[in-house]
Amino acid sequence: VQLQASGGGLVQAGGSLTLSCAASGNIFSINRMAWYRQAPGKQRELVAHITGGVTNYADSVKGRFTISRDNAKNMVYLQMNSLKPEDTAVYYCNTQGLYYSRTSFSVWGQGTLVTVSS
């Protein structure tokens, strides 16, 4: 299974960006798709995840970010509004599911850089 993330870039504070992540490969099912981020000098943290249609967000992004999923396309999106300089980080998507062999997988995308200028 491979994940391809896109959509990062440079944006001014208060602006918006949408990240996309596409999963491809030997996928039988996906049960969880998530976005994490890692700022310089900090540990990777969970931003949001969607599991069985239920979403969950880090407190720092609640009300500003929206995670969504297109099951038919095995894609996950992160709509980011009202961006702040502290949202600057490399954003990673993560997907958990089952191969056709019914073996489980957890795969990371390559990361996409989001830079928010003040």
Side-chain angles (χ1 to χ4, degrees), residues 52-93:
V54 178
T55 58
N56 208 315
Y57 298 90
D59 288 342
S60 60
V61 306
K62 281 181 181 177
R64 300 187 298 121
F65 290 11
T66 302
I67 188 170
S68 61
R69 177 177 165 180
D70 185 331
N71 291 329
K73 297 181 179 179
N74 287 335
M75 292 193 68
V76 63
Y77 306 93
L78 186 68
Q79 173 68 44
M80 305 184 293
N81 298 325
S82 302
L83 283 161
K84 304 175 181 179
E86 51 263 44
D87 294 318
T88 295
V90 177
Y91 284 71
Y92 298 90
C93 56

Side-chain angles (χ1 to χ4, degrees), residues 1 3 21 23 26-36 46 48-52 69 71 74 76 93-99 103-109:
V1 175
L3 298 181
C21 181
N26 184 23
I27 299 170
F28 173 73
S29 65
I30 293 176
N31 63 346
R32 182 180 187 269
M33 302 188 87
W35 288 97
Y36 291 75
L46 177 64
H49 71 87
I50 181 166
T51 305
R69 177 177 165 180
N71 291 329
N74 287 335
V76 63
C93 56
N94 172 266
T95 296
Q96 297 177 9
L98 295 176
Y99 295 111
T103 303
S104 63
F105 65 80
S106 178
V107 179
W108 291 91

